[in-house]
Amino acid sequence: MSATLRLALLLLAVAVCQGYQSNDIDEEDELVYEPSKYGSLWPLPQKVRVSEVSFKLPSASFKIVDAKESSAGPSCSLLQNAYRRSEPLLCLAFSDFICSPRVKTELHSKTWKEENCLMSTDELTVDQPNAVLKASKVWGALRGEALNKLPIITYTKPQIRPCIDFPRFAHRGILLDTSRHFLPIKVILANLEAMAMNKFNVFHWHIVDDPSFPYLSRTFPQLSQQGAYHPYTHVYTPADVKMIIEFARLRGIRVIPEFDTPGHTQSWGKGQKDLLTPCYSGTTPSGTFGPVNPILNTTYSFMRQLFSEISSVFPDAYVHLGGDEVDFSCWRSNPDIQNFMEQQGFGQDYSKLESFYIQKLLDIVTTTQKGYMIWQEVFDNGVKLKPDTVVHVWMGNRVEEEMQNVTEAGYTTILSSPWYLDYISYGQDWQKYYKVEPLSFKGTEAQKKLVIGGEACLWGEYVDATNLTPRLWPRASAVAERLWSAKEVTDISDAYSRLSMHRCRLVERGIPAEPLFTSFCPHEYKGV
């Protein structure tokens, strides 16, 4: 079989589905579906070359194999598993044809063996007449192998689209909240799959918070026994956590856990005596509790043991320590806290007490050989941070000023402020997420290089397994392209056309992504 024909066959496998949109678009949006010259590519690669060459497409399917010159080969199970996951999708693309194992299409993966499969910036080149994928590291090969990134054709007229690709930002994350509502493992795994389809590479797992403590700790099992919604049905066991981490790893996704303190810890106190601060009403205890008690040695002994466990369970180099939204009213009411403040010379500045606690916690986490991420308040309060600290900017007011200040101080930064997807509105709100420019703040080029990416956050007050996925997708896809594609990719009309088709691709693959507007997909969602 000729090389060009093999390419055409591979390209058809990627076509999957297109969204056929009605042109009856609300005038306010000024968006009309017009087929994009880039087909259904999402996120758009850095460089795409469009060709008008077309091919006849015989009925056949593919088998993805390593090229002879590949340095990965059968020893890299990460890629081998990816090949096996992809072959059913290739057959799915041939829904009008007969799937058979007769045709092989080589996928060249010039990459490292699995022992060197470290997370890094992805690189991908598809620029050969015989459908050869090349990548300098395994993660680039994985992104390319995932089908969205390979050359795409239109369904009716096959076209070659060789591309050279790499992400604009290295950190492309999704935050899911499993405390306010427990998310079954099946839902988490489905969204990890969707993340891979959109080139996200970080799962920020906000695993515990005030409402519940679903993480089952081996060291302190009473935390989930007392603090989870249910001690058996609404917890993540060590085996569950391990499975989620491995499922994500095989898709090139890091799992960064967040254990947020000293605020957001009401559920912690149910299982750990004396961890939280007793609140007072006048001179007597009110029976309620506030943030973590920062003046007791037992607090730090507990944190030392817990974070030692966390560092061994979660293999990523970073853990998110939170540090946001600490309510000082309970600390102010407690006479022991007041005396401690006086002894330390803090006066009435309770942000200094918060910094006192955070500093001790950071020292504890440092001993576990982990780096840490923190919400912006920790930086704003002047806590002494390690040079490799990642500051997470989330507050909606004065975003550009905050980005300027954090990067001017020399800290690596990620942005979430404009991408809080739990805020919903009628209409095509994906557009406002798409129009964000993460580097719009004033600063030097050196400062802007410190911005390594961002995260779309879906907080769980009004989200559980029944509505998480359609609320997240394809709105998060808009963030994915902003973090992956070149800065100049800003054509909202072209994005609308490509995203419409990409949304249909998600639907066909079992992801109930909500529609952008009136439309239909060739393969509609079949339900749960």
Side-chain angles (χ1 to χ4, degrees):
M1 182 174 290
S2 70
T4 53
L5 182 56
R6 292 206 309 273
L7 175 59
L9 291 171
L10 177 59
L11 294 180
L12 179 62
V14 188
V16 193
C17 66
Q18 299 181 44
Y20 297 95
Q21 299 287 327
S22 165
N23 286 345
D24 185 21
I25 303 295
D26 190 333
E27 290 183 0
E28 183 180 346
D29 297 310
E30 298 183 351
L31 294 178
V32 176
Y33 175 79
E34 296 287 348
S36 170
K37 67 177 181 179
Y38 300 115
S40 60
L41 273 173
W42 196 279
L44 192 67
Q46 297 287 333
K47 296 181 181 179
V48 184
R49 189 171 74 246
V50 178
S51 170
E52 295 301 323
V53 177
S54 60
F55 303 91
K56 291 184 178 180
L57 300 173
S59 59
S61 64
F62 302 97
K63 182 175 181 180
I64 303 174
V65 297
D66 293 296
K68 293 180 181 179
E69 60 266 36
S70 171
S71 59
S75 64
C76 189
S77 62
L78 189 147
L79 283 180
Q80 297 302 318
N81 287 332
Y83 300 162
R84 284 190 287 273
R85 290 197 306 273
S86 293
E87 287 184 4
L89 296 178
L90 295 174
C91 281
L92 178 65
F94 279 103
S95 58
D96 296 328
F97 299 91
I98 301 173
C99 278
S100 63
R102 293 178 297 174
V103 180
K104 289 187 178 182
T105 299
E106 289 193 349
L107 179 70
H108 292 215
S109 304
K110 186 179 180 183
T111 183
W112 295 347
K113 294 184 178 180
E114 177 138 24
E115 60 266 24
N116 293 317
C117 291
L118 303 176
M119 194 61 65
S120 65
T121 300
D122 320 305
E123 291 185 20
L124 172 65
T125 303
V126 181
D127 195 18
Q128 299 293 328
N130 58 343
V132 177
L133 171 66
K134 294 181 180 179
S136 63
K137 291 182 174 61
V138 69
W139 306 108
L142 188 64
R143 305 274 179 239
E145 175 277 328
L147 300 185
N148 291 350
K149 191 56 60 185
L150 289 170
I152 306 295
I153 59 174
T154 62
Y155 191 78
T156 56
K157 186 178 181 181
Q159 294 178 329
I160 304 173
R161 285 190 171 85
C163 58
I164 298 174
D165 207 12
F166 50 88
R168 182 184 177 197
F169 293 100
H171 186 113
R172 307 178 302 282
I174 294 286
L175 179 150
L176 296 182
D177 171 6
T178 58
S179 172
R180 291 173 175 87
H181 283 96
F182 179 82
L183 298 179
I185 293 173
K186 182 179 179 180
V187 174
I188 294 176
L189 299 185
N191 280 279
L192 287 169
E193 199 77 78
M195 286 174 62
M197 294 177 195
N198 288 272
K199 305 297 181 283
F200 283 104
N201 68 344
V202 178
F203 171 32
H204 178 168
W205 192 354
H206 189 87
I207 192 167
V208 298
D209 207 295
D210 281 331
S212 73
F213 196 105
Y215 172 76
L216 201 167
S217 167
R218 283 195 172 104
T219 310
F220 300 102
Q222 71 275 15
L223 290 172
S224 60
Q225 288 173 358
Q226 302 297 321
Y229 286 130
H230 190 283
Y232 304 115
T233 62
H234 286 59
V235 296
Y236 302 105
T237 68
D240 295 336
V241 172
K242 185 176 181 180
M243 180 179 67
I244 289 169
I245 292 171
E246 179 62 8
F247 189 93
R249 187 188 74 87
L250 291 176
R251 287 152 183 80
I253 298 171
R254 302 162 55 193
V255 178
I256 299 180
E258 180 181 353
F259 288 81
D260 190 0
T261 66
H264 293 280
T265 49
Q266 290 298 298
S267 64
W268 300 46
K270 295 177 181 178
Q272 186 65 20
K273 185 180 178 182
D274 297 330
L275 179 64
L276 303 185
T277 304
C279 305
Y280 276 67
S281 177
T283 59
T284 58
S286 65
T288 60
F289 296 87
V292 165
N293 193 329
I295 70 173
L296 299 180
N297 291 332
T298 53
T299 294
Y300 302 105
S301 175
F302 165 81
M303 293 295 175
R304 188 173 295 106
Q305 294 178 71
L306 178 63
F307 279 95
S308 176
E309 175 188 324
I310 291 167
S311 68
S312 65
V313 170
F314 292 90
D316 196 81
Y318 279 80
V319 60
H320 203 301
L321 301 179
D324 64 316
E325 297 182 318
V326 181
D327 184 354
F328 297 151
S329 58
C330 184
W331 281 351
R332 288 193 184 98
S333 73
N334 185 292
D336 294 328
I337 298 288
Q338 294 170 9
N339 291 336
F340 184 83
M341 291 281 289
E342 185 177 351
Q343 293 169 11
Q344 296 293 322
F346 292 163
Q348 294 299 309
D349 187 352
Y350 284 85
S351 65
K352 291 183 179 179
L353 181 60
E354 179 188 3
S355 297
F356 173 87
Y357 165 81
I358 291 289
Q359 190 65 66
K360 283 185 171 290
L361 180 63
L362 298 185
D363 292 342
I364 288 170
V365 174
T366 299
T367 64
T368 68
Q369 307 303 311
K370 292 284 189 183
Y372 44 76
M373 300 171 62
I374 44 90
W375 295 112
Q376 69 180 73
E377 289 99 316
V378 178
F379 167 81
D380 294 340
N381 291 338
V383 176
K384 184 179 179 181
L385 303 171
K386 291 193 304 181
D388 63 345
T389 299
V390 178
V391 179
H392 196 163
V393 175
W394 73 276
M395 299 179 79
N397 56 324
R398 302 189 304 175
V399 177
E400 293 186 1
E401 181 181 344
E402 184 75 16
M403 295 290 286
Q404 181 180 355
N405 291 341
V406 173
T407 55
E408 190 174 37
Y411 292 112
T412 301
T413 311
I414 60 174
L415 178 67
S416 282
S417 301
W419 294 320
Y420 266 44
L421 303 189
D422 48 303
Y423 296 131
I424 59 174
S425 58
Y426 188 78
Q428 299 193 45
D429 61 355
W430 68 271
Q431 295 182 40
K432 67 181 179 182
Y433 306 129
Y434 189 81
K435 293 175 182 177
V436 171
E437 171 45 53
L439 304 185
S440 63
F441 62 94
K442 295 180 180 178
T444 65
E445 286 303 309
Q447 283 179 249
K448 295 188 177 184
K449 287 180 180 179
L450 291 171
V451 181
I452 60 170
E455 292 182 358
C457 301
L458 189 63
W459 297 98
E461 287 88 348
Y462 305 99
V463 175
D464 67 1
T466 65
N467 64 344
L468 182 146
T469 305
R471 183 166 293 189
L472 186 59
W473 307 105
R475 295 160 81 229
S477 300
V479 183
E481 179 150 296
R482 185 52 50 235
L483 293 174
W484 180 282
S485 303
K487 180 180 179 179
E488 295 72 26
V489 178
T490 57
D491 187 333
I492 198 74
S493 296
D494 183 73
Y496 173 70
S497 299
R498 288 184 294 105
L499 185 56
S500 298
M501 291 190 287
H502 179 60
R503 179 258 169 178
C504 283
R505 175 162 50 220
L506 294 174
V507 167
E508 186 174 12
R509 295 182 184 182
I511 303 298
E514 69 179 16
L516 299 178
F517 194 58
T518 53
S519 64
F520 76 96
C521 295
H523 302 275
E524 296 289 357
Y525 183 63
K526 298 298 190 295
V528 178

